[in-house]
Each structure stands twice: as structure tokens, then as C-alpha cells.
Amino acid sequence: MNVTHLECALCGLRHEAGVLQNLCIECGKPLLVRYDLEKAAQTMTKEALPSRESSLWRYREVLPVSDWNNVVSFGEGWTPLLNAEKLAESLPVPLDLFIKDEGQNPTQSFKARGMTAAISMAKELRVRKVAVPSAGNAAGAMAAYAARAGMEAHIFMPSDTPTANVVECRQTGANVTLVDGLITDCGKIVAERKQAEGWFDVSTLKEPYRVEGKKTMGYELAEQLPELPDVIIYPTGEGTGLIGMWKAFDEMQEMGWIGAKRPRMVSVQSTTCAPIVRAFENGERFAEEFENASTVASGLRVPKAIGDFLILDAIRASGGTAIAVDDEELVRAVGEIGSVTGIFCAPEGAACLPALRRLIADGKVTAGETVVLFNTGSGIKYLEAFA
Ligand SMILES: Cc1ncc(COP(=O)(O)O)c(C=O)c1O
Ligand SMILES: [Zn+2]
């Protein structure tokens, strides 16, 4: 186990690892896990990795679990990076285009990555009951991992969450409460009740480990491509995947896997819920809450993200940008991508295509570049959106 401590992402305050932690005790911002990377690099070499398991636990040296018996897994991660040559042909400039297909994870979204790490650590730290506010896919993942770990799961979702997410949670034994409001309202209920109920709060970035699971997408890109892509396009709600990959790149550099060059990170949101895009355009480091947030891409319906500054810092440091696309465009993109690549994307993932078209039109992506679109989940969970 190479974890040295937890560190506040804003004020840097050191927190102890190995005990239950939520947010920074000083400033209330997210905590990130720090490792002895010199030690990790001794065994996690590019030569050692190919013979390891086809799951994200292949990166065990930079994951937080200390006792292997505590790992709660369905074999998540190590998803294919699919060549999207045909889709690239429909674009005005030639690109090396790939889709990282996260819909192939257990519970059909990249939320499985975060939950395998969070629930494994909850098990290690002897948690019996977990609670989460969710836009849908995180709930489905948490219900499954909690059931596998023998934990009680309490889930709070907006009442108009896609039906598949509600059904999967109930069928995997979770206690589901539908809330007349947004994910932020669900989060408030968890915060109010958790102490009395004895729940551990597994909200995105309000515990330190989901982001550790998500960061493995960055490690996988480094293994699956000869070098990191020029551009990563990522549908952003709370931003855990983007924050995680950015952290992974820093870790990889420290371990000597890569140099200082980074992919340009592009955050995609819906025009009807675009707090990060607005903050990016206004030159702000913290994003104001987005009023009347709505979008059929339910995972993007996050009016206020606690890790806003981490998303915005990464986008800016990478020379990337943030783009909002209309719901109509992103739903249409599901069929466009599907009919050419065979991948039935979640609306969130499909939003990457209109965003890429915009980047090309603005001269921000140019001929010959390598671009990775993140399809963060499967369209099968969103049947209502295609009615
Ligand atoms: C399919 C899908 N894509 C993207 C997101 C956004 O993920 P994050 O909140 O980590 O930015 C979500 C979140 O619910 C999701 O379910
Ligand atoms: Zn702090």
C-alpha cells in the first residue's frame, strides 16, 4: 500500500489516510489521495502491466485499498478504446479519432470505476451503510457495489431520473427515495440525515476515493495509445473523470511514464446546465450555481459542482476549453454515432460529437490530431430520451 496521506485540493491541509474522511476539515473542499509514487513506480512498470488483470485494479499501486480482500469488484475498467475512423470521415478535417467506451463497464457507465474504489474503501474502513445523491448512473453503480459488499444503500435521485436507474437500484436492493428537485437538493437531504442514520456519504468528491477509481481512465489511455492524445473531450457534471485523469497525468509524470505535455482537456455541458462553461468564459475559478438547470443528459444536470475549481484549473492549464451543446444536438448525436460506429452512447457521451464539430469549426482542433471522445455510459439506460 503506497498511500501516504490525504491532501485538501484547495488549501493543501494534510489529513490522515486510513480513517473515514469526507471534506477538508478546514475549508470544506475535496480531499485527494497522495501516494509514495517512487515506491509505486518500482513495480507498476509499463513492462509489468500487460500481464495483469483486465480491470482497473491492474493499477493497484496507485489505488487506495491496503487489504486485497476488501476489493469489491465486478471486473470494471480496462474498457476498449475504439477506433472511430468512419465517424472521423464525416468531419471536415482528418483526425485520429477514438471513443473510450465506458458503456461497457458493469452497470453500463463509468460510475462503476468510482464506486469500486469508494465501496472497497468503505468496506476497508468498516462502513455498514452508504448514502448517495445521484443523477442516476452513480446510483445504479452504488447499489450494485453496496449489494456485493453486503452494505445497506440509501439513494436519493431526482424524481425524473431515467426509469432504468430507478429500477436497477431497487432490484439490487437499495433504498430509493425520489426527490422533487435536482441532485443538489438530494445532496442536502443526505447531508442533513447522515449523522442520525449512521450513513457514510459517498457523494462525488465528498469522499476521497471515487476520483481514484475514475483516474484510471487516464492510466488506460496511456497504455492504450502510443502517447497521450492531443485532445480529450469529456461530458462534465461534477467533473470527477476529468479531475481524476488530470491527477493521473501528474502521477504518471512523477513516475516517469510521460513528460510534461498534456492533452487539451475539453469539458462539454448542455446549454441548459452549463455552470462550468459560463465560469470558464467569465474567467472565474469557482462556478456560480446554474439556475433552472435542466437537460435530458441527466448526468450533466449538476448546477453546482464542489470540484469546480479543479475542473477549471485543469482545463486552463491544459490549454483546453469548455463548450455547451443543445439537448437537441446531443440527442441527435446518439443516432449519428450509433449508426456509424455501432456504439449506443449515453446522451452525455454523444454530446462530445457536436462539441468536436465546434472545436474544428473554431480552429481549436486541427488536421492530424489525435482526439478521444468519452462515451461515459450506455444509451440503454435512457430509453425515454428516444421515444
Ligand atoms: C453517463 C454520464 N456521463 C457523464 C456524467 C458526468 O460525470 P461527472 O459528474 O463525474 O462529471 C454522468 C454523471 O452522472 C453520467 O452518468
Ligand atoms: Zn482545505
Side-chain angles (χ1 to χ4, degrees):
M1 223 271 283
N2 299 317
V3 174
T4 53
H5 63 284
L6 307 175
E7 187 181 272
C8 173
L10 186 66
C11 78
L13 186 70
R14 201 180 163 103
H15 291 63
E16 199 184 334
V19 292
L20 279 179
Q21 302 272 13
N22 283 111
L23 294 165
C24 173
I25 53 161
E26 196 61 41
C27 75
K29 294 296 182 191
L31 299 176
L32 297 174
V33 184
R34 298 300 178 202
Y35 299 85
D36 179 345
L37 292 171
E38 207 174 304
K39 188 164 155 235
Q42 286 168 13
T43 50
M44 200 176 77
T45 59
K46 279 200 163 169
E47 293 69 40
L49 283 167
S51 59
R52 291 194 179 177
E53 65 266 57
S54 302
S55 88
L56 60 78
W57 292 100
R58 66 202 275 109
Y59 307 112
R60 52 184 170 262
E61 284 91 340
V62 289
L63 289 170
V65 175
S66 61
D67 178 350
W68 214 238
N69 294 316
N70 292 324
V71 171
V72 184
S73 173
F74 293 97
E76 52 291 311
W78 198 243
T79 54
L81 182 67
L82 299 170
N83 199 312
E85 270 166 9
K86 283 250 176 61
L87 189 60
E89 282 169 17
S90 72
L91 300 170
V93 296
L95 296 176
D96 276 330
L97 185 63
F98 295 90
I99 298 180
K100 182 76 167 149
D101 190 13
E102 292 294 302
Q104 296 194 37
N105 274 299
T107 71
Q108 296 78 48
S109 89
F110 73 151
K111 297 286 175 182
R113 292 182 186 266
M115 286 303 172
T116 191
I119 298 298
S120 298
M121 283 307 293
K123 186 173 172 193
E124 185 152 291
L125 300 174
R126 305 196 183 286
V127 169
R128 302 293 314 150
K129 301 177 187 179
V130 283
V132 82
S134 168
N137 282 320
M142 194 187 84
Y145 285 89
R148 197 159 176 79
M151 285 176 204
E152 216 174 276
H154 297 269
I155 285 165
F156 295 81
M157 291 188 281
S159 51
D160 54 356
T161 297
T163 312
N165 296 128
V166 179
V167 173
E168 67 180 333
C169 291
R170 293 202 166 123
Q171 292 303 318
T172 49
N175 300 285
V176 178
T177 307
L178 296 177
V179 176
D180 199 11
L182 297 174
I183 189 170
T184 31
D185 302 303
C186 298
K188 281 177 202 147
I189 299 176
V190 172
E192 277 160 21
R193 292 182 53 188
K194 64 183 182 185
Q195 198 159 8
E197 303 277 1
W199 299 338
F200 183 61
D201 183 352
V202 192
S203 302
T204 309
L205 288 167
K206 290 186 183 166
E207 63 77 58
Y209 303 113
R210 282 175 65 179
V211 69
E212 292 302 293
K214 290 271 189 86
K215 82 179 177 188
T216 56
M217 295 188 291
Y219 281 92
E220 289 179 22
L221 287 184
E223 264 201 277
Q224 291 173 324
L225 286 170
E227 55 183 55
L228 288 176
D230 298 301
V231 180
I232 289 176
I233 307 185
Y234 175 85
T236 306
E238 302 272 6
T240 356
L242 190 146
I243 296 166
M245 283 191 274
W246 195 248
K247 179 174 191 282
F249 299 149
D250 284 345
E251 291 175 358
M252 285 190 268
Q253 185 177 356
E254 213 174 312
M255 289 189 289
W257 282 31
I258 59 168
K261 188 166 176 272
R262 296 284 184 274
R264 307 198 293 283
M265 306 299 280
V266 179
S267 206
V268 184
Q269 299 197 303
S270 162
T271 38
T272 41
C273 181
I276 299 298
V277 178
R278 192 172 59 185
F280 179 76
E281 287 171 354
N282 292 342
E284 289 155 0
R285 192 175 184 216
F286 297 92
E288 294 277 316
E289 182 157 345
F290 203 90
E291 298 298 326
N292 303 318
S294 73
T295 164
V296 64
S298 40
L300 305 187
R301 199 170 46 158
V302 179
K304 173 98 187 116
I306 189 165
D308 50 2
F309 64 105
L310 295 170
I311 305 169
L312 288 156
D313 286 358
I315 294 172
R316 291 187 176 117
S318 74
T321 187
I323 293 180
V325 304
D326 291 341
D327 264 27
E328 205 183 300
E329 280 181 294
L330 62 85
V331 171
R332 197 178 333 115
V334 175
E336 285 178 61
I337 298 172
S339 52
V340 179
T341 68
I343 303 167
F344 184 16
C345 291
E348 293 87 343
C352 295
L353 179 62
L356 173 58
R357 290 214 173 98
R358 191 93 50 82
L359 291 168
I360 295 171
D362 294 348
K364 290 181 180 160
V365 166
T366 54
E369 292 201 297
T370 302
V371 178
V372 174
L373 312 182
F374 266 85
N375 174 39
T376 42
S378 168
I380 204 76
K381 298 274 177 84
Y382 300 77
L383 296 182
E384 297 100 324
F386 309 104

